[in-house]
Amino acid sequence: MAISRRAFLEAAVSTGAGLTVSCSAKKETPSAAKAEAEVVPAPKGDWMAATPASTYRAYRSKPAQTADAPTWVQIDLGTSHPIDSVKVYPANERLYPGRDEHYAGEGFPLRFKIEVSDSPAFRDARTIVDHTAADYPNPHGTIQQYSAGGVQGRYLRLTATRLMNIAGRRTATDPRAGYHLVLAKIGVYSGGKEIAAERPVTVDGTYGNDDDVAQITRPERAGGEVVFINNPGNVTQASTWKPPAYKARKPLNGVSLNGGVFHAAMENNIDYLLNSYTVDELLRQFRERAGIRNPPGLPKPKTRFWEEDLAGSNAGRFLMGAGNTVRWIDHPELRRRLNAVVDGIAKCRESDGYIMAYPKDTIFFSERGAYTRAWLTHGLIEAGYAGNQKAFELLRGYYDWFNHCSYLPYMMRFAIQGGQGMIANTRLYFTPVGKPADIQVIQQYFQENFWLDQLAARDDSAIWQYPYDRPHCYLLTDILAYLDLYRATGDPRYLNAVKGGWDLFHNKWENIGGTTSIIEYVVCPPKSYLLHTKLEEMCGNSFWAFLNQRLHELDPEEEKYVTEIENSIYNAALASLAGPHGFRYHQVLVHEKEKPTEINTCCEG
């Protein structure tokens, strides 16, 4: 999908910005339709993890004009085998139009059969399963397994006799629109072993797609195919931790600015923070979730995605900016608003400590469980360091709930961009209210050992073919979290992975000037220095600067870390500011700069 995040959001998500807030009732309750749409239950059974990286793309037949166009895929197992069972993996690589949510089950056949034969022409076909008489319920993301009872054969064929219409999930001019067979892969098991991996695949001559046939038997991903993660064996006891000694520490206060480019930038940002959103606008969704009436006359949200889908993230971004400012520049009004936002969140706190602006059972809607949770956590941490102790207390109460919630085994791979949530826990650990459980939860439910090994080995695919999410600059937040795990435990495995990740980004996804050259929805192989494609999100430079700052504290004699910080600040962050009026999302390297906005995007955090 050759489309940037900004373009996707502008074209699809933000079209629903005209939401209204009722002020006539005593309590504001979201509409039943809205609440129902936002509740995404944790999956049951083996749910297929998303496959947005191009290496793990699904097989897609050529489009047919009618549903009853037969098409098939056939695996040559090499020799005849007694077959125990067959697994059919539904596709899970696309997004619903206008929704930041994976569309699992796209193109799964409505009617189909699975047969085996010792003849490639299937003259002596033996049936494993036959669902050609009636439409098969869409499994969405649930991996389907069919018992074969030991039936013998060399060739296995899945024939679709009725196809799903996925027209309307594309533009009218997209040649992929129409009726398709779409599958992530097929597994064949004999004697308890998977025997189809990397075996040759053939397809019918009419609708079969030779370009994608190898996807049917691609090897299983290193971390498995399902979303469920629970690895208690990764957890280490705090009594065994040996955190490394810091050789330098960044100041949290006590630095004065007296003119110059940084002072001007911060003053402009103060104006932006005070003029872009009011306290009531920042607290809107917290109050709605708590059933507290918002004041009358509150303006409509500027954009549905950032303010509604990611409910509460705007407050997080404001607190980041305000908290990171009043520590250096005494600004009474900015501090008053910071305290007012924290107080407003506190008034909406639930008895068990829950504070997020979205209801608990919508944690898997869009990127709430990862991105939004992390952004509000960042904001409250910065408010705490700015002197508001209530912010730390709110965080501790919330994470005492989160660290024991039932959603944890699904947070990494079922939550959209779940890895973004790692940094929330690991940062909290280093605050005055941190607990070892904040680290141990990440070890148990988020840590991916295969990825640590890939990073340490400087394997390119660890970045541009990360197998469970949209590969882009946000992988830097995962690397930051692993560096935090090293800072907490002293385990060199984490540091080796971080240094490998640093080398990969620096050597293969960093432009001259320091901007990152990788973005979601665009396939970005090593050295994707594409001047006319918007790859360079300011977010990447923020994460890159923080990563290098942490590494500088551990090794201040290594000059390269400071060089990268300077590149990120001078060439990206400062260039993204538009005075007091807004921010530029992308760093455009040729022709004119991008127009700024003031809708509180992720890059502002």
Side-chain angles (χ1 to χ4, degrees):
M1 183 186 295
I3 181 172
S4 73
R5 177 180 182 80
R6 166 56 69 78
F8 166 74
L9 296 173
E10 287 179 343
V13 179
S14 296
T15 56
L19 301 177
T20 60
V21 178
S22 172
C23 300
S24 58
K26 216 168 190 183
K27 288 189 175 183
E28 294 174 349
T29 305
S31 69
K34 176 183 175 184
E36 183 179 345
E38 293 180 354
V39 174
V40 181
K44 296 179 181 179
D46 289 338
W47 191 272
M48 183 69 175
T51 58
S54 59
T55 291
Y56 306 100
R57 70 189 186 278
Y59 168 81
R60 293 175 180 272
S61 69
K62 296 174 183 176
Q65 298 303 309
T66 64
D68 297 323
T71 183
W72 50 261
V73 294
Q74 179 172 309
I75 303 169
D76 180 355
L77 300 172
T79 59
S80 187
H81 294 270
I83 298 172
D84 304 326
S85 61
V86 177
K87 284 186 178 182
V88 180
Y89 297 78
N92 190 10
E93 65 174 359
R94 301 292 175 117
L95 296 176
Y96 282 102
R99 284 164 57 186
D100 194 22
E101 181 183 338
H102 285 111
Y103 172 51
E106 178 191 25
F108 200 88
L110 297 178
R111 301 188 184 189
F112 64 97
K113 59 183 176 179
I114 301 175
E115 303 168 294
V116 293
S117 175
D118 284 314
S119 162
F122 271 68
R123 285 186 293 269
D124 57 347
R126 295 174 290 279
T127 301
I128 292 176
V129 63
D130 189 337
H131 289 291
T132 58
D135 286 1
Y136 191 83
N138 189 335
H140 300 291
T142 304
I143 298 167
Q144 303 296 290
Q145 182 164 342
Y146 307 101
S147 175
V151 63
Q152 188 93 12
R154 172 177 172 174
Y155 301 95
L156 182 137
R157 178 185 288 186
L158 184 150
T159 303
T161 59
R162 178 169 292 178
L163 304 176
M164 181 185 293
N165 182 9
I166 56 176
R169 301 189 184 281
R170 306 285 184 276
T171 63
T173 58
D174 191 328
R176 293 170 297 185
Y179 296 88
H180 292 258
L181 170 64
V182 187
L183 297 173
K185 68 189 298 285
I186 295 175
V188 182
Y189 294 82
S190 177
K193 296 181 179 179
E194 211 284 282
I195 59 173
E198 299 186 281
R199 294 302 307 168
V201 181
T202 53
V203 292
D204 66 280
T206 305
Y207 299 109
N209 180 1
D210 290 322
D211 293 337
D212 282 346
V213 290
Q215 302 308 110
I216 291 292
T217 57
R218 65 163 175 79
E220 185 173 90
R221 287 173 283 185
E225 295 295 328
V226 299
V227 296
F228 184 87
I229 294 180
N230 186 3
N231 296 306
N234 287 340
V235 176
T236 56
Q237 298 306 309
S239 60
T240 68
W241 296 353
K242 297 179 181 179
Y246 294 95
K247 297 179 182 178
R249 294 307 302 264
K250 62 181 180 292
L252 294 177
N253 51 50
V255 177
S256 298
L257 293 172
N258 298 293
V261 64
F262 293 120
H263 195 181
M266 294 188 74
E267 291 289 351
N268 283 333
N269 196 43
I270 290 172
D271 289 342
Y272 174 79
L273 290 168
L274 294 177
N275 294 320
S276 56
Y277 285 85
T278 66
V279 169
D280 287 326
E281 287 177 289
L282 296 173
L283 292 173
R284 182 201 309 263
Q285 289 79 29
F286 294 92
R287 291 169 176 162
E288 289 177 352
R289 189 263 300 156
I292 298 174
R293 185 172 65 180
N294 274 302
L298 200 61
K300 294 179 181 180
K302 297 176 183 177
T303 169
R304 192 190 86 196
F305 180 69
W306 302 108
E307 297 183 54
E308 297 287 340
D309 291 3
L310 304 181
S313 62
N314 269 4
R317 280 187 289 273
F318 172 81
L319 292 174
M320 282 189 238
N324 272 317
T325 298
V326 297
R327 289 190 286 113
W328 317 105
I329 298 175
D330 183 22
H331 195 287
E333 176 59 17
L334 189 60
R335 184 177 292 277
R336 184 196 69 80
R337 293 200 195 183
L338 178 151
N339 291 334
V341 172
V342 174
D343 287 343
I345 294 171
K347 288 179 181 178
C348 299
R349 174 175 46 187
E350 297 181 14
S351 59
D352 58 5
Y354 187 83
I355 60 172
M356 292 294 154
Y358 50 84
K360 293 170 185 170
D361 60 359
T362 69
I363 194 169
F364 294 125
F365 179 78
S366 190
E367 299 172 38
R368 290 179 176 178
Y371 167 83
T372 306
R373 178 173 64 87
W375 251 232
L376 184 61
T377 301
H378 286 313
L380 287 170
I381 286 174
E382 303 309 342
Y385 284 135
N388 189 312
Q389 292 304 306
K390 187 184 293 185
F392 283 140
E393 295 166 8
L394 290 171
L395 280 173
R396 183 67 272 155
Y398 171 77
Y399 278 94
D400 285 344
W401 171 84
F402 178 81
N403 289 347
H404 296 92
C405 73
S406 62
Y407 304 114
L408 285 171
Y410 306 99
M411 290 305 301
M412 182 64 174
R413 293 184 188 162
F414 187 64
I416 301 295
Q417 303 208 45
Q420 297 179 26
M422 295 171 64
I423 191 67
N425 274 69
T426 63
R427 274 206 74 197
L428 180 65
Y429 172 74
F430 291 99
T431 70
V433 295
K435 293 181 179 180
D438 302 324
I439 294 293
Q440 292 163 333
V441 160
I442 299 304
Q443 291 178 317
Q444 182 168 351
Y445 298 106
F446 291 77
Q447 180 174 318
E448 294 183 308
N449 293 330
F450 80 91
W451 201 57
L452 290 172
D453 293 340
Q454 281 185 322
L455 291 172
R458 277 79 173 166
D459 182 348
D460 293 346
S461 65
I463 307 300
W464 77 288
Q465 292 296 336
Y466 176 71
Y468 298 103
D469 225 322
R470 286 118 66 171
H472 70 315
C473 69
Y474 265 86
L475 288 174
L476 286 166
T477 67
D478 300 43
I479 294 172
L480 272 163
Y482 282 122
L483 182 54
D484 284 347
L485 290 179
Y486 169 70
R487 294 164 66 214
T489 68
D491 186 341
R493 183 182 189 186
Y494 298 128
L495 183 61
N496 291 338
V498 169
K499 289 190 172 182
W502 192 97
D503 285 345
L504 286 169
F505 266 96
H506 175 66
N507 295 332
K508 299 184 178 181
W509 285 279
E510 183 180 358
N511 291 314
I512 292 174
T515 57
T516 54
S517 61
I518 182 170
I519 197 171
E520 56 192 338
Y521 306 126
V522 179
V523 178
C524 297
K527 300 186 177 181
S528 295
Y529 305 137
L530 308 177
L531 295 180
H532 298 279
T533 300
K534 291 181 179 179
L535 305 179
E536 299 82 8
E537 293 175 286
M538 188 174 70
C539 311
N541 285 92
S542 301
F543 309 146
W544 187 239
F546 286 128
L547 176 63
N548 280 282
Q549 186 182 58
R550 283 168 168 73
L551 289 167
H552 170 71
E553 289 184 292
L554 295 171
D555 190 3
E557 298 302 315
E558 181 56 80
E559 182 269 345
K560 66 183 181 182
Y561 301 135
V562 177
T563 295
E564 297 303 322
I565 294 171
E566 290 178 340
N567 275 337
S568 288
I569 292 174
Y570 282 106
N571 298 333
L574 293 177
S576 295
L577 298 173
H581 307 296
F583 282 83
R584 299 178 178 92
Y585 191 98
H586 298 97
Q587 297 301 312
V588 179
L589 301 184
V590 294
H591 305 308
E592 297 180 356
K593 288 184 177 183
E594 187 173 66
K595 292 182 179 179
T597 68
E598 55 171 36
I599 60 173
N600 261 14
T601 67
C602 56
C603 285
E604 296 176 34

